[in-house]
Amino acid sequence: MLDFMEADRAFLAEQDAKILDLEAQIAALQSSISELQAVKQPVQQRLDSYQYPVLTLPNEIVGEIFLRFLPPYPEPPPLTGILSPTSLTQICREWRNIALSTPALWRAIQVDQAAVTTYEWLRAEYTASLLHLWLKRSSPYPLSICVVDFDPSTPLLSILLHHQARWEHFEATCKNARVLGNPALDAPMPLLRTCSFHFTTELSVGPKRSIFQDAPLLRTVSLDECGTLSVALPWSQLTSLNLRCLYSEECMSIFQHASHLVHCTIDLWDGSEAPQGDDKHAQGDVVLPRLETLVILSSSDTDPEFLSRIIMPALLHLELPEVFLTWPEDDPVPYLKELLAKSGCQLQELQISYASAPESLYRSAFPSIPSIVLP
């Protein structure tokens, strides 16, 4: 019995010694930790007091930097992804607040209606929620709207149409001109300045539909043949016009009403038979008293008398293929002299594409034109 007790006492003494040794080690470690913390503290204080230069900028400057991250207005960024302004809201709380309080970041909106169908209800709901957010965040700024597969009757487009009083720039790709018959396009658009339509299906001629008649600031329009045959725009107030894939008579019928044009680009349709429609085969000359720039992109099979029927007294820049100047003879100089004399303009720049005549011929024949370019 006494041996038992003696052994227990010896065991306890051994454990006490170990505990004392561990406590001594712990005390040494705590002392080391305190020393390290004392060394660390001033370094941490320096780091805590440091501010990254970008975070010291005024919010207005950061907002301007954010705007440079996006495509130049009115070109729209994507609704989602790394190139969307939504990515700026995911960096830190301060940047998120700045992005959400900068309406200009959200004023250019692009919707790909073709990629959001009624069968993809979840995606449609998500896109609708994004549209509501962007429209709210961009208020009260004017809007730039770009729509692929434009159809005003769809739910997504109806969201945008509720804000059409804020539309400043509008670009749409449409399957056909029938979608423009929606009465929503009759509503006033007091801020609209530019519009562009591109139609993706074959031409179907029907009664013309008057659109954007209550858009007093509209000045720039881009249309193809389907658009010009299907819609009636306030031509008389336009100053810039881009006409794609049109026959010469279709252009002439528009020019009769577009007396305020300053800039015009035309891509004339190749071929000799123009489709029948309203105001075809316009007779006589057309005067465009303010036209300063005329660019013709066609290269063959066009109406050779087209240019001779347009009088442009203010013309400064003329760009066209040489084929327009080689009628009724191969030498382009006489015809061009006749055109310029008829208009009485002081041309400053002449650019001739697909030229067979040498540049020296033009320079010697037209010494009063400062810039003559043959690409």
Side-chain angles (χ1 to χ4, degrees), residues 153-187:
S153 64
T154 59
L156 288 180
L157 269 298
S158 65
I159 296 173
L160 294 174
L161 287 168
H162 281 306
H163 298 264
Q164 65 194 74
R166 292 169 55 201
W167 289 10
E168 185 177 29
H169 305 279
F170 178 65
E171 180 180 353
T173 300
C174 313
K175 289 183 178 178
N176 55 65
R178 288 192 297 273
V179 300
L180 302 181
N182 192 294
L185 296 178
D186 293 333

mmCIF file of all heavy atoms in Angstrom, residues 153-187:
data_model
loop_
_atom_site.group_PDB
_atom_site.id
_atom_site.type_symbol
_atom_site.label_atom_id
_atom_site.label_comp_id
_atom_site.label_asym_id
_atom_site.label_seq_id
_atom_site.Cartn_x
_atom_site.Cartn_y
_atom_site.Cartn_z
ATOM 1 N N SER A 153 -44.066 45.760 -79.883
ATOM 2 C CA SER A 153 -45.132 45.044 -79.185
ATOM 3 C C SER A 153 -44.601 44.107 -78.102
ATOM 4 O O SER A 153 -45.379 43.568 -77.317
ATOM 5 C CB SER A 153 -45.962 44.235 -80.192
ATOM 6 O OG SER A 153 -45.169 43.233 -80.813
ATOM 7 N N THR A 154 -43.299 43.870 -78.042
ATOM 8 C CA THR A 154 -42.752 42.950 -77.054
ATOM 9 C C THR A 154 -42.620 43.631 -75.701
ATOM 10 O O THR A 154 -42.465 44.856 -75.613
ATOM 11 C CB THR A 154 -41.369 42.434 -77.504
ATOM 12 O OG1 THR A 154 -40.496 43.550 -77.666
ATOM 13 C CG2 THR A 154 -41.480 41.678 -78.819
ATOM 14 N N PRO A 155 -42.669 42.846 -74.610
ATOM 15 C CA PRO A 155 -42.606 43.448 -73.268
ATOM 16 C C PRO A 155 -41.340 44.259 -73.022
ATOM 17 O O PRO A 155 -41.390 45.317 -72.397
ATOM 18 C CB PRO A 155 -42.681 42.233 -72.342
ATOM 19 C CG PRO A 155 -43.365 41.176 -73.140
ATOM 20 C CD PRO A 155 -42.932 41.397 -74.558
ATOM 21 N N LEU A 156 -40.182 43.758 -73.495
ATOM 22 C CA LEU A 156 -38.938 44.476 -73.242
ATOM 23 C C LEU A 156 -38.938 45.844 -73.912
ATOM 24 O O LEU A 156 -38.510 46.842 -73.324
ATOM 25 C CB LEU A 156 -37.742 43.660 -73.736
ATOM 26 C CG LEU A 156 -37.387 42.419 -72.923
ATOM 27 C CD1 LEU A 156 -36.185 41.711 -73.534
ATOM 28 C CD2 LEU A 156 -37.089 42.783 -71.478
ATOM 29 N N LEU A 157 -39.424 45.876 -75.157
ATOM 30 C CA LEU A 157 -39.430 47.156 -75.871
ATOM 31 C C LEU A 157 -40.461 48.108 -75.305
ATOM 32 O O LEU A 157 -40.279 49.329 -75.354
ATOM 33 C CB LEU A 157 -39.670 46.914 -77.359
ATOM 34 C CG LEU A 157 -38.403 46.718 -78.196
ATOM 35 C CD1 LEU A 157 -37.532 47.955 -78.141
ATOM 36 C CD2 LEU A 157 -37.598 45.523 -77.706
ATOM 37 N N SER A 158 -41.537 47.567 -74.751
ATOM 38 C CA SER A 158 -42.533 48.457 -74.137
ATOM 39 C C SER A 158 -41.940 49.179 -72.930
ATOM 40 O O SER A 158 -42.336 50.312 -72.623
ATOM 41 C CB SER A 158 -43.765 47.650 -73.720
ATOM 42 O OG SER A 158 -43.449 46.716 -72.690
ATOM 43 N N ILE A 159 -40.973 48.551 -72.247
ATOM 44 C CA ILE A 159 -40.296 49.221 -71.135
ATOM 45 C C ILE A 159 -39.560 50.453 -71.639
ATOM 46 O O ILE A 159 -39.635 51.541 -71.047
ATOM 47 C CB ILE A 159 -39.318 48.247 -70.446
ATOM 48 C CG1 ILE A 159 -40.079 47.075 -69.816
ATOM 49 C CG2 ILE A 159 -38.499 48.983 -69.379
ATOM 50 C CD1 ILE A 159 -39.165 45.986 -69.267
ATOM 51 N N LEU A 160 -38.850 50.302 -72.768
ATOM 52 C CA LEU A 160 -38.115 51.428 -73.334
ATOM 53 C C LEU A 160 -39.055 52.506 -73.859
ATOM 54 O O LEU A 160 -38.781 53.703 -73.736
ATOM 55 C CB LEU A 160 -37.204 50.939 -74.458
ATOM 56 C CG LEU A 160 -36.061 50.010 -74.048
ATOM 57 C CD1 LEU A 160 -35.333 49.502 -75.285
ATOM 58 C CD2 LEU A 160 -35.094 50.719 -73.125
ATOM 59 N N LEU A 161 -40.177 52.081 -74.437
ATOM 60 C CA LEU A 161 -41.117 53.045 -75.012
ATOM 61 C C LEU A 161 -41.750 53.928 -73.945
ATOM 62 O O LEU A 161 -42.171 55.046 -74.245
ATOM 63 C CB LEU A 161 -42.192 52.304 -75.807
ATOM 64 C CG LEU A 161 -41.720 51.723 -77.143
ATOM 65 C CD1 LEU A 161 -42.759 50.779 -77.715
ATOM 66 C CD2 LEU A 161 -41.394 52.833 -78.135
ATOM 67 N N HIS A 162 -41.814 53.447 -72.720
ATOM 68 C CA HIS A 162 -42.344 54.282 -71.633
ATOM 69 C C HIS A 162 -41.447 55.493 -71.376
ATOM 70 O O HIS A 162 -41.871 56.467 -70.751
ATOM 71 C CB HIS A 162 -42.487 53.460 -70.354
ATOM 72 C CG HIS A 162 -43.705 52.587 -70.330
ATOM 73 N ND1 HIS A 162 -44.978 53.075 -70.536
ATOM 74 C CD2 HIS A 162 -43.848 51.250 -70.162
ATOM 75 C CE1 HIS A 162 -45.846 52.080 -70.465
ATOM 76 N NE2 HIS A 162 -45.192 50.960 -70.245
ATOM 77 N N HIS A 163 -40.195 55.408 -71.858
ATOM 78 C CA HIS A 163 -39.239 56.499 -71.631
ATOM 79 C C HIS A 163 -38.839 57.170 -72.941
ATOM 80 O O HIS A 163 -37.795 57.824 -72.994
ATOM 81 C CB HIS A 163 -37.993 55.946 -70.931
ATOM 82 C CG HIS A 163 -38.253 55.359 -69.582
ATOM 83 N ND1 HIS A 163 -38.074 56.062 -68.410
ATOM 84 C CD2 HIS A 163 -38.697 54.127 -69.215
ATOM 85 C CE1 HIS A 163 -38.384 55.299 -67.375
ATOM 86 N NE2 HIS A 163 -38.757 54.119 -67.830
ATOM 87 N N GLN A 164 -39.666 57.043 -73.985
ATOM 88 C CA GLN A 164 -39.254 57.559 -75.283
ATOM 89 C C GLN A 164 -39.184 59.086 -75.316
ATOM 90 O O GLN A 164 -38.540 59.654 -76.196
ATOM 91 C CB GLN A 164 -40.194 57.052 -76.379
ATOM 92 C CG GLN A 164 -41.625 57.553 -76.282
ATOM 93 C CD GLN A 164 -42.541 56.739 -77.178
ATOM 94 O OE1 GLN A 164 -42.876 55.605 -76.890
ATOM 95 N NE2 GLN A 164 -42.927 57.325 -78.290
ATOM 96 N N ALA A 165 -39.782 59.752 -74.358
ATOM 97 C CA ALA A 165 -39.620 61.206 -74.280
ATOM 98 C C ALA A 165 -38.175 61.592 -73.969
ATOM 99 O O ALA A 165 -37.778 62.735 -74.195
ATOM 100 C CB ALA A 165 -40.558 61.780 -73.227
ATOM 101 N N ARG A 166 -37.382 60.627 -73.469
ATOM 102 C CA ARG A 166 -35.979 60.881 -73.165
ATOM 103 C C ARG A 166 -35.045 60.396 -74.278
ATOM 104 O O ARG A 166 -33.835 60.612 -74.196
ATOM 105 C CB ARG A 166 -35.590 60.196 -71.851
ATOM 106 C CG ARG A 166 -36.245 60.790 -70.617
ATOM 107 C CD ARG A 166 -36.027 59.895 -69.400
ATOM 108 N NE ARG A 166 -34.605 59.628 -69.179
ATOM 109 C CZ ARG A 166 -34.151 58.595 -68.466
ATOM 110 N NH1 ARG A 166 -35.010 57.734 -67.925
ATOM 111 N NH2 ARG A 166 -32.861 58.412 -68.305
ATOM 112 N N TRP A 167 -35.585 59.745 -75.313
ATOM 113 C CA TRP A 167 -34.728 59.231 -76.384
ATOM 114 C C TRP A 167 -34.035 60.386 -77.099
ATOM 115 O O TRP A 167 -34.669 61.333 -77.558
ATOM 116 C CB TRP A 167 -35.548 58.455 -77.400
ATOM 117 C CG TRP A 167 -36.059 57.139 -76.907
ATOM 118 C CD1 TRP A 167 -36.036 56.667 -75.633
ATOM 119 C CD2 TRP A 167 -36.696 56.125 -77.693
ATOM 120 N NE1 TRP A 167 -36.627 55.432 -75.575
ATOM 121 C CE2 TRP A 167 -37.039 55.071 -76.817
ATOM 122 C CE3 TRP A 167 -37.024 56.026 -79.045
ATOM 123 C CZ2 TRP A 167 -37.683 53.917 -77.270
ATOM 124 C CZ3 TRP A 167 -37.660 54.885 -79.488
ATOM 125 C CH2 TRP A 167 -37.986 53.844 -78.606
ATOM 126 N N GLU A 168 -32.710 60.294 -77.217
ATOM 127 C CA GLU A 168 -31.937 61.276 -77.962
ATOM 128 C C GLU A 168 -31.350 60.671 -79.240
ATOM 129 O O GLU A 168 -31.282 61.334 -80.276
ATOM 130 C CB GLU A 168 -30.809 61.829 -77.090
ATOM 131 C CG GLU A 168 -30.022 62.940 -77.759
ATOM 132 C CD GLU A 168 -28.968 63.520 -76.838
ATOM 133 O OE1 GLU A 168 -28.456 62.781 -75.956
ATOM 134 O OE2 GLU A 168 -28.647 64.720 -76.980
ATOM 135 N N HIS A 169 -30.925 59.406 -79.142
ATOM 136 C CA HIS A 169 -30.396 58.674 -80.292
ATOM 137 C C HIS A 169 -31.077 57.314 -80.326
ATOM 138 O O HIS A 169 -31.191 56.638 -79.291
ATOM 139 C CB HIS A 169 -28.886 58.500 -80.187
ATOM 140 C CG HIS A 169 -28.138 59.784 -80.009
ATOM 141 N ND1 HIS A 169 -27.827 60.613 -81.066
ATOM 142 C CD2 HIS A 169 -27.664 60.386 -78.886
ATOM 143 C CE1 HIS A 169 -27.175 61.663 -80.600
ATOM 144 N NE2 HIS A 169 -27.080 61.565 -79.291
ATOM 145 N N PHE A 170 -31.518 56.909 -81.516
ATOM 146 C CA PHE A 170 -32.244 55.647 -81.633
ATOM 147 C C PHE A 170 -31.743 54.886 -82.855
ATOM 148 O O PHE A 170 -31.707 55.424 -83.960
ATOM 149 C CB PHE A 170 -33.748 55.901 -81.748
ATOM 150 C CG PHE A 170 -34.553 54.639 -81.921
ATOM 151 C CD1 PHE A 170 -34.605 53.696 -80.917
ATOM 152 C CD2 PHE A 170 -35.251 54.398 -83.092
ATOM 153 C CE1 PHE A 170 -35.332 52.527 -81.071
ATOM 154 C CE2 PHE A 170 -35.977 53.237 -83.261
ATOM 155 C CZ PHE A 170 -36.028 52.300 -82.238
ATOM 156 N N GLU A 171 -31.338 53.638 -82.625
ATOM 157 C CA GLU A 171 -30.861 52.770 -83.706
ATOM 158 C C GLU A 171 -31.551 51.423 -83.575
ATOM 159 O O GLU A 171 -31.603 50.848 -82.483
ATOM 160 C CB GLU A 171 -29.345 52.595 -83.629
ATOM 161 C CG GLU A 171 -28.775 51.697 -84.713
ATOM 162 C CD GLU A 171 -27.273 51.548 -84.612
ATOM 163 O OE1 GLU A 171 -26.657 52.243 -83.780
ATOM 164 O OE2 GLU A 171 -26.703 50.725 -85.365
ATOM 165 N N ALA A 172 -32.093 50.914 -84.681
ATOM 166 C CA ALA A 172 -32.846 49.664 -84.616
ATOM 167 C C ALA A 172 -32.596 48.808 -85.848
ATOM 168 O O ALA A 172 -32.501 49.314 -86.969
ATOM 169 C CB ALA A 172 -34.343 49.942 -84.477
ATOM 170 N N THR A 173 -32.477 47.521 -85.611
ATOM 171 C CA THR A 173 -32.486 46.529 -86.680
ATOM 172 C C THR A 173 -33.843 45.843 -86.639
ATOM 173 O O THR A 173 -34.251 45.336 -85.586
ATOM 174 C CB THR A 173 -31.368 45.496 -86.490
ATOM 175 O OG1 THR A 173 -30.110 46.174 -86.491
ATOM 176 C CG2 THR A 173 -31.377 44.473 -87.607
ATOM 177 N N CYS A 174 -34.548 45.845 -87.766
ATOM 178 C CA CYS A 174 -35.911 45.326 -87.824
ATOM 179 C C CYS A 174 -36.007 44.204 -88.866
ATOM 180 O O CYS A 174 -35.292 44.215 -89.868
ATOM 181 C CB CYS A 174 -36.910 46.422 -88.186
ATOM 182 S SG CYS A 174 -36.720 47.951 -87.250
ATOM 183 N N LYS A 175 -36.904 43.280 -88.617
ATOM 184 C CA LYS A 175 -37.141 42.239 -89.614
ATOM 185 C C LYS A 175 -37.863 42.800 -90.829
ATOM 186 O O LYS A 175 -37.582 42.417 -91.963
ATOM 187 C CB LYS A 175 -37.957 41.108 -88.987
ATOM 188 C CG LYS A 175 -37.174 40.276 -87.983
ATOM 189 C CD LYS A 175 -38.023 39.140 -87.450
ATOM 190 C CE LYS A 175 -37.210 38.284 -86.477
ATOM 191 N NZ LYS A 175 -38.020 37.180 -85.902
ATOM 192 N N ASN A 176 -38.819 43.677 -90.622
ATOM 193 C CA ASN A 176 -39.538 44.301 -91.742
ATOM 194 C C ASN A 176 -40.132 45.621 -91.262
ATOM 195 O O ASN A 176 -40.128 45.938 -90.071
ATOM 196 C CB ASN A 176 -40.638 43.374 -92.282
ATOM 197 C CG ASN A 176 -41.602 42.932 -91.193
ATOM 198 O OD1 ASN A 176 -42.321 43.743 -90.633
ATOM 199 N ND2 ASN A 176 -41.605 41.636 -90.881
ATOM 200 N N ALA A 177 -40.647 46.379 -92.199
ATOM 201 C CA ALA A 177 -41.145 47.722 -91.888
ATOM 202 C C ALA A 177 -42.482 47.706 -91.156
ATOM 203 O O ALA A 177 -42.908 48.739 -90.646
ATOM 204 C CB ALA A 177 -41.267 48.537 -93.167
ATOM 205 N N ARG A 178 -43.146 46.576 -91.100
ATOM 206 C CA ARG A 178 -44.460 46.535 -90.456
ATOM 207 C C ARG A 178 -44.369 46.880 -88.965
ATOM 208 O O ARG A 178 -45.329 47.378 -88.387
ATOM 209 C CB ARG A 178 -45.093 45.151 -90.630
ATOM 210 C CG ARG A 178 -45.568 44.863 -92.046
ATOM 211 C CD ARG A 178 -46.436 43.614 -92.091
ATOM 212 N NE ARG A 178 -45.683 42.434 -91.682
ATOM 213 C CZ ARG A 178 -44.958 41.689 -92.499
ATOM 214 N NH1 ARG A 178 -44.867 42.011 -93.782
ATOM 215 N NH2 ARG A 178 -44.317 40.626 -92.067
ATOM 216 N N VAL A 179 -43.213 46.591 -88.344
ATOM 217 C CA VAL A 179 -43.091 46.877 -86.913
ATOM 218 C C VAL A 179 -43.150 48.370 -86.644
ATOM 219 O O VAL A 179 -43.420 48.797 -85.518
ATOM 220 C CB VAL A 179 -41.787 46.289 -86.342
ATOM 221 C CG1 VAL A 179 -41.752 44.790 -86.529
ATOM 222 C CG2 VAL A 179 -40.569 46.938 -86.977
ATOM 223 N N LEU A 180 -42.922 49.194 -87.680
ATOM 224 C CA LEU A 180 -42.956 50.639 -87.481
ATOM 225 C C LEU A 180 -44.381 51.183 -87.453
ATOM 226 O O LEU A 180 -44.578 52.380 -87.246
ATOM 227 C CB LEU A 180 -42.157 51.341 -88.581
ATOM 228 C CG LEU A 180 -40.694 50.932 -88.684
ATOM 229 C CD1 LEU A 180 -40.007 51.708 -89.787
ATOM 230 C CD2 LEU A 180 -39.978 51.138 -87.366
ATOM 231 N N GLY A 181 -45.356 50.314 -87.671
ATOM 232 C CA GLY A 181 -46.747 50.746 -87.628
ATOM 233 C C GLY A 181 -47.299 50.860 -86.227
ATOM 234 O O GLY A 181 -48.463 51.227 -86.053
ATOM 235 N N ASN A 182 -46.507 50.542 -85.224
ATOM 236 C CA ASN A 182 -46.976 50.613 -83.848
ATOM 237 C C ASN A 182 -47.278 52.069 -83.468
ATOM 238 O O ASN A 182 -46.442 52.947 -83.652
ATOM 239 C CB ASN A 182 -45.914 50.029 -82.916
ATOM 240 C CG ASN A 182 -46.442 49.809 -81.518
ATOM 241 O OD1 ASN A 182 -46.765 50.745 -80.813
ATOM 242 N ND2 ASN A 182 -46.538 48.545 -81.119
ATOM 243 N N PRO A 183 -48.464 52.328 -82.936
ATOM 244 C CA PRO A 183 -48.830 53.716 -82.572
ATOM 245 C C PRO A 183 -47.899 54.346 -81.551
ATOM 246 O O PRO A 183 -47.878 55.571 -81.413
ATOM 247 C CB PRO A 183 -50.249 53.557 -81.997
ATOM 248 C CG PRO A 183 -50.755 52.259 -82.545
ATOM 249 C CD PRO A 183 -49.558 51.383 -82.700
ATOM 250 N N ALA A 184 -47.130 53.524 -80.829
ATOM 251 C CA ALA A 184 -46.223 54.086 -79.822
ATOM 252 C C ALA A 184 -45.209 55.031 -80.444
ATOM 253 O O ALA A 184 -44.726 55.955 -79.788
ATOM 254 C CB ALA A 184 -45.498 52.962 -79.076
ATOM 255 N N LEU A 185 -44.899 54.821 -81.725
ATOM 256 C CA LEU A 185 -43.915 55.681 -82.384
ATOM 257 C C LEU A 185 -44.497 57.034 -82.774
ATOM 258 O O LEU A 185 -43.781 57.884 -83.299
ATOM 259 C CB LEU A 185 -43.354 54.970 -83.620
ATOM 260 C CG LEU A 185 -42.574 53.687 -83.336
ATOM 261 C CD1 LEU A 185 -42.104 53.053 -84.631
ATOM 262 C CD2 LEU A 185 -41.385 53.966 -82.429
ATOM 263 N N ASP A 186 -45.787 57.218 -82.538
ATOM 264 C CA ASP A 186 -46.412 58.519 -82.812
ATOM 265 C C ASP A 186 -46.270 59.485 -81.638
ATOM 266 O O ASP A 186 -46.552 60.672 -81.779
ATOM 267 C CB ASP A 186 -47.914 58.335 -83.114
ATOM 268 C CG ASP A 186 -48.134 57.585 -84.412
ATOM 269 O OD1 ASP A 186 -47.261 57.663 -85.281
ATOM 270 O OD2 ASP A 186 -49.173 56.912 -84.536
ATOM 271 N N ALA A 187 -45.847 58.974 -80.502
ATOM 272 C CA ALA A 187 -45.763 59.821 -79.312
ATOM 273 C C ALA A 187 -44.669 60.876 -79.486
ATOM 274 O O ALA A 187 -43.709 60.666 -80.227
ATOM 275 C CB ALA A 187 -45.476 58.964 -78.083
#
